[in-house]
Amino acid sequence: MHSLPLSGAGTLFARLRRPLYLPLLAIILLLAVVPDALAHGVPEGDKGFIQESTGVLLMPFIYMGAKHMITGYDHLLFLFGVIFFLYRMKDVGLYVTLFAVGHSVTLLFGVLSSISISAYVIDAIIGFSVVYKALDNLGAFQRWFGYQPDTRAATLIFGLLHGFGLATKIQEFEISPDGLIANLIAFNVGVEIGQLLALGTILILMGYWRRTASFWRHAYTANVAMMSAGFLLMGYQFTGLIVSQ
């Protein structure tokens, strides 16, 4: 998996002084406008439906799963980082599959086993995954430590953590045990459908961008902006954790 070459650890911090005002301002505005989505929030209408539903309701849960993924900015940021330097569809398919498997396993296991983890902690870790992926794309680990982590293992591990994010939020609702497993599977199918729709859009846009001369000029800026978004996500969640105590 490719990464952006750096001339040394100091280069990373030196280049942070470059003008990044517009992308960072856009990220800050995004976080201010959609905090619930970034925290795996569930719309009020969906909350009521989940709590009042009983029996097998496949299509509604597929719809809610797809909507969650399409509006899950933390998930999309991580996927954007994962495919940033992937050009072959075989590689894209491999990494997305690893992420999907991890996400599916912990979503189902977390809810069915009633494993409870603070939503703020999980979402802070998800924010960290965005930071990690951006640093990986920048080649920071190789430059800092002389070691390149296994990107496939990292994608699977962070997929497992992302799945726990929604599983933790779902456990807050009093879901009827009648049809629970079928509805959870349907929800997860919807999540994967939403992931494919979002991924398809990202790949189309990336395809056009990669054909322009500006791609390599702005690849560094894009990854620094993504890293900044990850730090903001972490800060938002840690603040929420402190305030909730």
Side-chain angles (χ1 to χ4, degrees), residues 29-41 73 123 233 236-237:
L29 290 174
L30 179 65
L31 294 178
V33 172
V34 288
D36 287 339
L38 293 172
H40 287 282
Y73 300 95
D123 287 335
L233 284 167
Y236 176 83
Q237 297 302 334

Side-chain angles (χ1 to χ4, degrees), residues 126-147:
I126 291 174
F128 171 74
S129 74
V130 176
V131 174
Y132 171 91
K133 192 61 230 165
L135 288 173
D136 185 38
N137 287 347
L138 292 168
F141 301 117
Q142 184 66 40
R143 298 297 184 182
W144 289 347
F145 310 114
Y147 171 74

Side-chain angles (χ1 to χ4, degrees), residues 116-229:
S116 180
I117 304 174
S118 170
Y120 291 111
V121 173
I122 286 294
D123 287 335
I125 293 173
I126 291 174
F128 171 74
S129 74
V130 176
V131 174
Y132 171 91
K133 192 61 230 165
L135 288 173
D136 185 38
N137 287 347
L138 292 168
F141 301 117
Q142 184 66 40
R143 298 297 184 182
W144 289 347
F145 310 114
Y147 171 74
Q148 175 58 47
D150 189 324
T151 54
R152 291 170 295 184
T155 301
L156 176 61
I157 291 170
F158 283 124
L160 293 168
L161 293 170
H162 278 237
F164 262 124
L166 185 59
T168 299
K169 180 61 72 172
I170 288 178
Q171 289 179 66
E172 297 177 5
F173 309 131
E174 297 178 359
I175 304 177
S176 171
D178 184 14
L180 175 61
I181 295 178
N183 289 336
L184 282 177
I185 293 175
F187 186 90
N188 194 66
V189 169
V191 166
E192 303 313 327
I193 291 174
Q195 177 173 284
L196 289 174
L197 292 174
L199 183 64
T201 302
I202 294 172
L203 284 172
I204 291 172
L205 295 176
M206 288 289 291
Y208 282 110
W209 186 26
R210 286 167 176 165
R211 294 190 187 100
T212 67
S214 67
F215 175 72
W216 285 105
R217 289 202 307 268
H218 299 303
Y220 175 86
T221 301
N223 278 279
V224 170
M226 183 171 70
M227 179 175 60
S228 302

Side-chain angles (χ1 to χ4, degrees), residues 58-135:
L58 299 182
M59 292 309 299
F61 275 89
I62 289 176
Y63 166 76
M64 286 190 292
K67 183 170 71 171
H68 165 74
M69 176 55 75
I70 292 175
T71 59
Y73 300 95
D74 47 3
H75 292 302
L76 297 183
L77 274 173
F78 182 74
L79 284 176
F80 174 70
V82 166
I83 69 171
F84 197 90
F85 288 117
L86 294 180
Y87 293 87
R88 297 186 302 176
M89 288 305 299
K90 180 176 73 171
D91 294 331
V92 172
L94 171 62
Y95 281 89
V96 172
T97 298
L98 288 171
F99 181 75
V101 169
H103 189 278
S104 301
V105 167
T106 48
L107 170 60
L108 297 172
F109 177 74
V111 175
L112 295 177
S113 63
S114 299
I115 294 178
S116 180
I117 304 174
S118 170
Y120 291 111
V121 173
I122 286 294
D123 287 335
I125 293 173
I126 291 174
F128 171 74
S129 74
V130 176
V131 174
Y132 171 91
K133 192 61 230 165
L135 288 173

